Amino acid sequence: MRTERTGAAAKAGHDLLIHVIGWEATLEVGDDSSIVLEVDPTSLRVRDGTGGMQPLGYEDKASIEQTIDDEVLLRRNIEFRSTSVQPDADGGRLSVQGDLTLVGQTCPIAFDLLVGAEGTISGRVVLKQSNWGIKPYSALFGALQVADDVVIDAVSQPTDDSDAVLPRVLRDRARLPLVGPRGLEPMRLHAQAEPTHAGEELDHAGLGGRT
């Protein structure tokens, strides 16, 4: 998840790389293709911070994570359910529409997923926090703020026990367990993805810690 700093004191804040380490997802392909994603809202972990007056230390990162849990995401479940999943002619791209629930509010979003030859799936979506009633975090009496737009990158791959190979499988019916960081307890699938730069990034425009 990527955010940008804004405000008169933007130089005092940090751009953060944050990984989401607890999620699971199901991709079903067929006559009625669908994607379901569930995220543990307390599983965001600060991996790196750039910019700012001082480098982020361990306590700073822990403080930011606590602020995200208590003041931004409020420890409330995050869920996405697709309403439309349309593959292109060669199965290399999926056009997805659906409903994303954050902090108890549900809004429609749309994005594309790219499908690799080995079954890897990647995508990017830009979310506007205020659409879900989230007030972008601010500090220094509002002089340092997190920008409203947040960019989320994601990468996953089928789990080892899946024999599906994309993109050709998009022409047939398949149910794919997707691999993500540390998975939640599985329902039909178990998602355990390795942390990558396509995790989640959140800008430190004063999310706890020093500036």
Side-chain angles (χ1 to χ4, degrees):
M1 182 169 69
R2 302 178 184 275
T3 68
E4 296 182 353
R5 294 161 286 166
T6 187
K11 290 183 178 179
H14 295 82
D15 296 324
L16 302 183
L17 172 64
I18 294 181
H19 289 161
V20 179
I21 62 173
W23 60 270
E24 69 178 12
T26 303
L27 166 60
E28 293 187 15
V29 179
D31 295 335
D32 189 16
S33 299
S34 66
I35 297 175
V36 175
L37 168 70
E38 292 187 356
V39 177
D40 178 353
T42 66
S43 71
L44 278 67
R45 298 293 181 267
V46 178
R47 298 305 189 199
D48 192 19
T50 58
M53 305 301 292
Q54 302 179 59
L56 291 177
Y58 174 81
E59 292 183 357
D60 299 314
K61 294 177 181 178
S63 178
I64 294 169
E65 293 166 4
Q66 188 73 37
T67 299
I68 293 171
D69 291 346
D70 295 342
E71 301 182 35
V72 181
L73 297 179
L74 308 178
R75 302 178 183 271
R76 302 191 67 173
N77 290 342
I78 300 171
E79 181 180 85
F80 173 79
R81 291 184 177 274
S82 64
T83 55
S84 173
V85 179
Q86 298 294 329
D88 64 6
D90 63 3
R93 182 185 297 268
L94 298 172
S95 295
V96 182
Q97 298 180 33
D99 296 321
L100 176 65
T101 300
L102 294 172
V103 295
Q105 301 292 322
T106 302
C107 295
I109 62 172
F111 55 91
D112 288 341
L113 294 175
L114 299 179
V115 183
E118 301 302 320
T120 58
I121 298 176
S122 62
R124 168 173 288 192
V125 61
V126 178
L127 304 180
K128 188 178 292 291
Q129 298 178 73
S130 57
N131 286 348
W132 284 266
I134 298 173
K135 183 179 180 180
Y137 198 90
S138 64
L140 302 179
F141 304 101
L144 174 61
Q145 299 178 345
V146 174
D148 198 8
D149 285 353
V150 176
V151 178
I152 297 177
D153 292 314
V155 173
S156 67
Q157 62 188 36
T159 53
D160 293 339
D161 58 357
S162 171
D163 59 1
V165 177
L166 294 174
R168 290 188 178 88
V169 74
L170 294 178
R171 305 190 185 106
D172 304 315
R173 180 178 298 277
R175 177 179 294 136
L176 300 181
L178 301 181
V179 176
R182 172 178 51 97
L184 304 170
E185 287 303 314
M187 296 182 298
R188 287 178 301 183
L189 307 168
H190 188 56
Q192 278 196 322
E194 40 194 57
T196 68
H197 291 317
E200 300 202 6
E201 241 174 62
L202 184 61
D203 178 13
H204 176 212
L207 291 178
R210 63 185 178 224
T211 57

